[in-house]
Every structure is written in C-alpha cells, then in structure tokens.
Amino acid sequence: MSGNAKSNNSYAGKSNARYLILAILFVTTVINYIDRSALSVAAPIMKEDLYLDAVKLGLAFSAFNWAYTFFQIPGGWLLDRFGARKVYGIGLFVWSLFTFFQGFVGSFLTLFLLRFIVGIAEAPSFPANSRMTTMWFPQHERGRAVAIYNSAQYFGLALFTPVLAWLLQKMGWNYIFYFAGGIGMILSFFWFKLVRDPSDHPRVNQQEINYIKDGGGFADAGEKKTKVKWAHIRLLLTNRQMIGIYIGQYALNTIVWFFLTWFPTYLVQEKGLSIIKVGFIASIPFLAAFVGGIIGGFVSDTILKKGKSLAVARKTPIITGFLLSSTIVLANYTQSTVAIIVIMSVAFFAKGLAGLTWTLVGDMAPKELLGVTGGIFNTIGNIAGIVTPIVIGIILSKTQSFSGALVFVASILLVGALSYIFIVNKPRRIELPEESLPNTKQAV
C-alpha cells in the first residue's frame, strides 16, 4: 500500500530526518559543481599563463570527464558494497583536496592529471545522490527531492560564479582553486557527522521509516548486499527503457558541459565581455536552470498525485525540457548581449526541467543495485563530458567561431527528445531473477 493511500494518522509523530539528508545533498552538490566549473571560470586568464591553445584547453576541460565517466560503474559498485556515507564522504574530501592543488599547477600535464583525479573522486557522487533519495524518500516525494539536489548545481553556479570571477580579477586564477577546494574539505567533516542510512540514523523514528517504505522508498536497502554479476550488468545494458534514458542522459549532458566548460570563453571571445561582466552574466542561465529544475520536480510529483501514470508524470517535463533546450541555436542569429543571455537562460531553464532523468533511475533500478544502475546511467551520460569539450575545441580551432558548436549542441538535444518519445515507453522497476538475490544458494 502506498504512503498516499494510508491515513496520515498512521504516521502521526513521524520524524523528518529525510529533509536534513536532502539539505546535505543540496550543499554537497553545490560544492561538487563549484569544483567542476572552477577551471572554466579561470580559463580565459589561465590559458595565457599555461600557453594553452583551444585544443589543449578542450582536452584540459575533458580530463575530469575521462575519469568521471569510466569510474562510474566502479563507483556504483563501491556504493552498493560500502554505502554512500563512506564512499561519498571520502570522495568529497579527496576531490576538494585535488581541486585545491590545481591552484599550484604550472603545466598542461599537471593540470590534466589533477583534473583526472578530481573526476575519479567525484564519480560516485550522483549515483550516491540517486541511491540516497531512493532510500530516504517515498516515490510521491522523490521527484521534488531529486529536483532539489539536482538543481543545487545551478544554484551554486549562479551564486558563486560571480565570486570566482571576482577572485580571478582581484587575486589571480590560483585563488579560484584555493577557495573551491577549501570549502569542500571543510564540508566533508560535517558530512561524516550528519549522514547515515535511514535504519541507522539517530534522528529517525519508526513512523518515518514506515512512511518511506510504504511509499515505495527503500529505507532498509542499506542492510542488504547483493553480489553484482555480469548477468546483472547485461540486463541493465539491454533493457529498452534503460537504453532510452541512457541516450537521453548523454544528450542532456551535452548542454551541461557546454555551460561548464566553454560558456565563459564564449562570452569573452565571441561577445567581447569583460571578466567581471562574464561572472555576473554567466550566473543568469544557471539561476534559470535552478528554477527550471525545481519547477520540473514539483510538476512531475503533482501530475503523479493526480493519478496520472509514472510515464506521463516523469516524461512530460523531460521531453518539454529537451525540445526547449534546443533553442540554444538561436543565439547564432543575434549580436545583442541581452538577447543571447535570454536565449541561453531559456535553454538552461529547460535543461533544468529535463533534469528529472535521475528520478527515473530511482524509479526503474533494481532495488538491490541502486548504485550500479546509477553508475551505468552516469557513465553513458558523461561520455558527453569527454566528447563535447573536445568537439567544441576542434570546431573553434577550425572555424574561429562558436556557431557550429551551438548547432552541434542543439542537434544532440533533439536526439534526446526523440529517445524519450520513441524508446522510453512505460518506466517500471526492473526485477532481478530470483536466483541472484540475497539469501539464496547463489548469493554471497
């Protein structure tokens, strides 16, 4: 029976520790994206000091994603094996430390290596976010929960991009990395103090655990261990619904990594804006994406509560977001700075709407393999983080213009919309074969 179907009296006096966990995920995701985007803010000045041309800068941007992408599945396995508290908390400290070290780099090779290590440490982050919201929130609250932590990235970028730009102009590019890395290391100590699984959290009572479980959450998932087999991986890679959301996530990350890597350089080089103006102007699309993400989550949960199917509730804002994001190409047809920022803001607002893709991971993943499923999803999605910076760097090198880059981004977004329209049909949870589950002869 769902949590919605039961009387609220059944959960009278329930604690609300899940909101504390969501707040921590929000703040951690803010730090996550500040560290990811620090190089893009520093790049217009840093590239001169390190003698980086467009191709080398594209490679430096992509270094994070080489590691981040290919360590997704190992990171997901670690989450299922050791839990989000340990894996995510250690990762937070490590990626912040190596972001701090980027303030001392003097060569392309060192920069590439440090960004690579940051990518390894951040790899479990979004699978962990997905795992924790699936454990802590009933299905009818999960769209909002995912929207809130997913929108944190844009809130952080909107808030801190002007701060990083100010540091760049007043103190030098080194201090961007000192600031971004330092606050992450401090946060990691609060993480270990406040984060637990629902069944082990001192602020959770039984009523809240019942509320989560009755609503389709996995409050006791941390207690069960499942040995990951190749048959499981094959199932996750061949399921039609999963293939559809994998394609969609790749498409969605194309616009994300344009904004996280080349967007400040686009404003400086293509539009001739100053560093300080770039800092403030670049924050506007991020703020729009934050608003879009929150709206998308609430719209989805509202549709679900009105009795519509999970497919309608999740796919409506996602497909709308994809189609609207592709309007980024319109920036090629105006020279007005105001018009360009409006176009970019609309496109990234729409990306926020489409950010509910992570909700479907929690809705569809086998409950025993939340981490691995999120890892595969994010692996395929973040191949875009490797491809996009390099392709845009090559386009820029060949044409000396960003026009082709915006056409490239818009085209991939349309592919994402088509994937959700024609491949993702009716999302439902994948069930593992009985013989592979814990407490059977083949289980370990």
Side-chain angles (χ1 to χ4, degrees):
M1 181 179 295
S2 71
N4 285 344
K6 281 196 172 186
S7 167
N8 287 333
N9 291 333
S10 302
Y11 311 112
K14 73 177 184 301
S15 55
N16 290 299
R18 62 194 185 282
Y19 298 130
L20 170 64
I21 297 299
L22 184 58
I24 296 168
L25 292 182
F26 183 93
V27 174
T28 305
T29 303
V30 167
I31 301 303
N32 186 307
Y33 268 77
I34 292 172
D35 289 354
R36 292 189 195 195
S37 66
L39 178 59
S40 70
V41 178
I45 303 299
M46 190 178 183
K47 69 177 184 178
E48 304 297 334
D49 289 352
L50 301 185
Y51 305 103
L52 303 177
D53 59 21
V55 174
K56 280 188 175 181
L57 188 56
L59 287 170
F61 283 143
S62 74
F64 169 91
N65 280 289
W66 285 102
Y68 184 77
T69 298
F70 293 112
F71 280 85
Q72 283 296 308
I73 296 174
W77 175 83
L78 287 172
L79 288 170
D80 289 332
R81 179 68 181 85
F82 298 105
R85 179 177 183 267
K86 291 180 182 178
V87 175
Y88 204 170
I90 293 171
L92 169 60
F93 180 82
V94 172
W95 89 58
S96 300
L97 177 65
F98 281 87
T99 297
F100 185 88
F101 287 160
Q102 287 172 60
F104 300 97
V105 301
S107 69
F108 164 76
L109 183 60
T110 305
L111 176 62
F112 188 96
L113 179 62
L114 291 177
R115 292 285 294 175
F116 191 89
I117 295 172
V118 170
I120 293 174
E122 285 199 19
S125 56
F126 268 70
N129 286 344
S130 178
R131 175 187 172 88
M132 291 180 69
T133 51
T134 304
M135 290 173 62
W136 276 94
F137 286 86
Q139 191 173 65
H140 64 275
E141 292 184 354
R142 202 174 299 148
R144 284 170 288 176
V146 170
I148 288 169
Y149 83 66
N150 202 38
S151 297
Q153 55 191 283
Y154 315 120
F155 176 83
L157 293 172
L159 181 65
F160 286 102
T161 297
V163 175
L164 298 181
W166 181 85
L167 287 171
L168 177 63
Q169 185 176 65
K170 298 297 183 182
M171 305 182 73
W173 59 262
N174 316 71
Y175 286 86
I176 289 178
F177 299 106
Y178 300 154
F179 172 79
I183 58 176
M185 286 188 283
I186 293 171
L187 176 62
S188 67
F189 294 100
F190 289 94
W191 173 277
F192 283 106
K193 182 175 179 60
L194 297 174
V195 172
R196 298 284 192 283
D197 286 345
S199 57
D200 188 43
H201 202 288
R203 301 192 185 189
V204 173
N205 61 19
Q206 189 61 45
Q207 289 94 324
E208 184 175 13
I209 290 178
N210 293 341
Y211 176 74
I212 295 168
K213 292 172 67 175
D214 292 343
F218 300 143
D220 57 352
E223 299 172 356
K224 300 175 182 178
K225 306 297 181 185
T226 299
K227 182 180 179 180
V228 180
K229 302 178 181 180
W230 283 113
H232 299 156
I233 304 298
R234 185 167 59 249
L235 176 64
L236 295 173
L237 289 175
T238 57
N239 179 274
R240 170 180 169 166
Q241 316 293 359
M242 299 304 295
I243 290 171
I245 69 171
Y246 297 154
I247 294 171
Q249 193 66 5
Y250 177 94
L252 199 61
N253 277 343
T254 299
I255 190 172
V256 170
W257 285 101
F258 166 72
F259 275 95
L260 290 183
T261 56
W262 283 106
F263 185 49
T265 302
Y266 166 78
L267 294 176
V268 171
Q269 182 172 319
E270 190 97 342
K271 303 306 173 186
L273 301 182
S274 68
I275 293 297
I276 288 294
K277 283 186 178 180
V278 165
F280 283 96
I281 289 176
S283 70
I284 297 173
F286 296 135
L287 184 60
F290 170 72
V291 175
I294 297 296
I295 290 175
F298 276 82
V299 167
S300 178
D301 281 354
T302 299
I303 293 173
L304 194 61
K305 285 182 178 180
K306 288 184 176 180
K308 300 297 183 181
S309 69
L310 186 66
V312 171
R314 301 307 192 215
K315 288 172 63 176
T316 298
I318 289 173
I319 293 171
T320 302
F322 271 116
L323 294 174
L324 196 55
S325 286
S326 66
T327 61
I328 191 173
V329 74
L330 296 178
N332 284 340
Y333 303 100
T334 180
Q335 294 301 314
S336 166
T337 300
V338 172
I340 288 168
I341 295 306
V342 169
I343 291 167
M344 294 291 178
S345 298
V346 169
F348 223 34
F349 168 87
K351 187 275 160 193
L353 285 178
L356 279 173
T357 50
W358 269 106
T359 309
L360 285 172
V361 176
D363 292 332
M364 295 164 59
K367 62 183 181 180
E368 303 86 3
L369 300 174
L370 296 173
V372 169
T373 307
I376 294 173
F377 175 79
N378 221 19
T379 295
I380 296 171
N382 276 284
I383 293 174
I386 298 171
V387 173
T388 302
I390 295 175
V391 169
I392 292 177
I394 292 172
I395 292 172
L396 186 59
S397 178
K398 298 294 184 182
T399 67
Q400 307 303 312
S401 169
F402 277 90
S403 295
L406 297 187
V407 171
F408 166 75
V409 171
S411 299
I412 300 297
L413 287 165
L414 289 175
V415 171
L418 292 173
S419 177
Y420 269 90
I421 293 170
F422 294 109
I423 301 177
V424 181
N425 188 14
K426 295 181 179 179
R428 58 176 60 90
R429 188 164 307 284
I430 299 172
E431 300 291 339
L432 295 184
E434 185 67 25
E435 66 270 12
S436 69
L437 298 178
N439 300 321
T440 67
K441 292 180 179 180
Q442 295 187 31
V444 174

